[in-house]
Amino acid sequence: MGVVAHSAPNFTAASMENAVTGHTVISKAFIHGPVNTQIVGIMQIVYSYGGAMMFVEFMAEMKRPMDFWKAMACAQTLICVCYMFFGIFVYHYQGQFTINPGNQGISIYGWQTATNIISLLSALIAAGLYGNIGIKVIYQNVILDMLKGPEMESRKGRYLWTVMVIVYWCVAYVVAGSVPQFSNISGLVAAVCILQFSYTFPPILMLGFDMQKDALQGEKPYDPITGATHRIDTWRDLSRWRRAFSKHWYVKTFNFLFFLAALATAGLGIYSSVQGIIDGFNQSGAATSFGCSAPV
């Protein structure tokens, strides 16, 4: 931020990445651009703040899980304040020449290199953290639960874990190397993955849980004294459906509409990001897949 406030924007990078020409900085309160570009921008917000369902996995790694909500609240507040202040500050000084990631907008080579080192280190920390949790989720839900594979602590489990780590990072390298466009690839990842785990799955899972819980009111599917189990065809019993939806129907309606809106947003995000990738490769001087030259 200090460098940005006392140096010119990176006009060359802005021209190559966003086809922005000229040397006069113009900043606006409201930007009217193509819908696709604005949606890709929205996906950057999702990418930054998304992944709420992963919080459950982080809690499982903590010594005192009930302390997690306090840490999360403090961290989210700090992140939100820093992100907003940083974004507004950089845009004020660089205007239409602002590019993503922000440090690439620095025109002084030495300072850009220094911030690249900081970005690389922070990205490695994030990749190691999310990669470890992500592979554990895959192992637990796919290898153990679905495929009935070996426990992670066993010899076979450790071998399988090692192979999964190698495959995981190879896939990450292929995805990153094949599309050397930071905003578009992060927007695509946000639309395909992160948005689902923050806005699509939570409301529909909450809706399903609440409906099943309310449908059981007044029934005794299990008698703890006799041990008898009474099962009802849930799809054909209309009274169960009425009970499932009637209680707190406004909350259930909101969750269902929220789920549909999230699906629509995901579709728009995927389309806009893919279109952005196509347009990016069509630009003159654009970086090629698995090329050695820097994208900007």
Side-chain angles (χ1 to χ4, degrees):
M1 288 168 58
V3 176
V4 166
H6 296 88
S7 64
N10 192 339
F11 298 114
T12 303
S15 176
M16 293 178 64
E17 183 171 292
N18 299 324
V20 179
T21 58
H23 292 82
T24 302
V25 175
I26 301 174
S27 57
K28 301 178 181 179
F30 298 96
I31 300 177
H32 302 285
V35 176
N36 287 356
T37 304
Q38 295 187 36
I39 293 177
V40 172
I42 293 174
M43 291 302 105
Q44 306 309 308
I45 301 175
V46 174
Y47 190 89
S48 299
Y49 295 101
M53 287 186 67
M54 291 295 288
F55 290 164
V56 179
E57 305 299 332
F58 282 115
M59 290 178 66
E61 300 290 325
M62 296 184 68
K63 184 177 181 180
R64 295 188 298 273
M66 290 308 296
D67 287 346
F68 175 79
W69 71 270
K70 292 179 287 186
M72 183 195 69
C74 293
Q76 291 284 18
T77 301
L78 176 64
I79 291 171
C80 183
V81 172
C82 291
Y83 274 28
M84 289 298 296
F85 184 77
F86 173 83
I88 295 172
F89 186 94
V90 173
Y91 178 70
H92 170 75
Y93 283 101
Q94 295 194 341
Q96 75 275 28
F97 300 104
T98 304
I99 61 176
N100 189 25
N103 69 299
Q104 294 299 319
I106 296 176
S107 58
I108 303 175
Y109 180 77
W111 283 109
Q112 186 185 109
T113 303
T115 55
N116 281 337
I117 294 173
I118 297 173
S119 298
L120 179 62
L121 292 176
S122 62
L124 286 174
I125 294 173
L129 179 63
Y130 277 101
N132 179 59
I133 298 295
I135 298 173
K136 282 185 178 180
V137 172
I138 295 173
Y139 197 98
Q140 180 65 42
N141 292 279
V142 178
I143 303 300
L144 290 181
D145 296 345
M146 296 179 60
L147 302 180
K148 308 302 180 183
E151 293 291 336
M152 195 180 302
E153 294 79 9
S154 64
R155 180 183 296 271
K156 291 182 179 179
R158 288 195 296 271
Y159 289 153
L160 182 57
W161 170 268
T162 302
V163 173
M164 288 180 62
V165 170
I166 296 173
V167 172
Y168 189 93
W169 285 101
C170 288
V171 172
Y173 172 79
V174 170
V175 172
S178 60
V179 185
Q181 303 170 22
F182 188 87
S183 295
N184 291 326
I185 194 63
S186 60
L188 183 62
V189 172
V192 174
C193 304
I194 299 178
L195 189 144
Q196 318 304 329
F197 285 93
S198 299
Y199 305 104
T200 306
F201 296 155
I204 198 64
L205 289 174
M206 182 178 178
L207 174 64
F209 174 78
D210 288 341
M211 290 183 67
Q212 291 187 36
K213 180 184 65 175
D214 294 336
L216 290 173
Q217 299 299 319
E219 295 183 357
K220 293 182 179 180
Y222 173 72
D223 191 338
I225 298 178
T226 62
T229 301
H230 177 57
R231 299 186 182 275
I232 299 177
D233 191 339
T234 58
W235 292 100
R236 298 181 181 179
D237 190 345
L238 295 180
S239 63
R240 287 176 60 89
W241 282 99
R242 285 194 295 269
R243 289 198 304 272
F245 193 76
S246 60
K247 188 176 181 180
H248 302 304
W249 62 269
Y250 44 89
V251 177
K252 296 183 175 71
T253 301
F254 173 80
N255 282 329
F256 182 67
L257 294 177
F258 198 109
F259 165 73
L260 295 180
L263 276 183
T265 305
L268 290 172
I270 293 172
Y271 173 81
S272 299
S273 299
V274 171
Q275 189 62 47
I277 292 172
I278 296 173
D279 295 340
F281 279 123
N282 290 333
Q283 288 183 10
S284 60
T288 58
S289 298
F290 303 104
C292 295
S293 60
V296 292

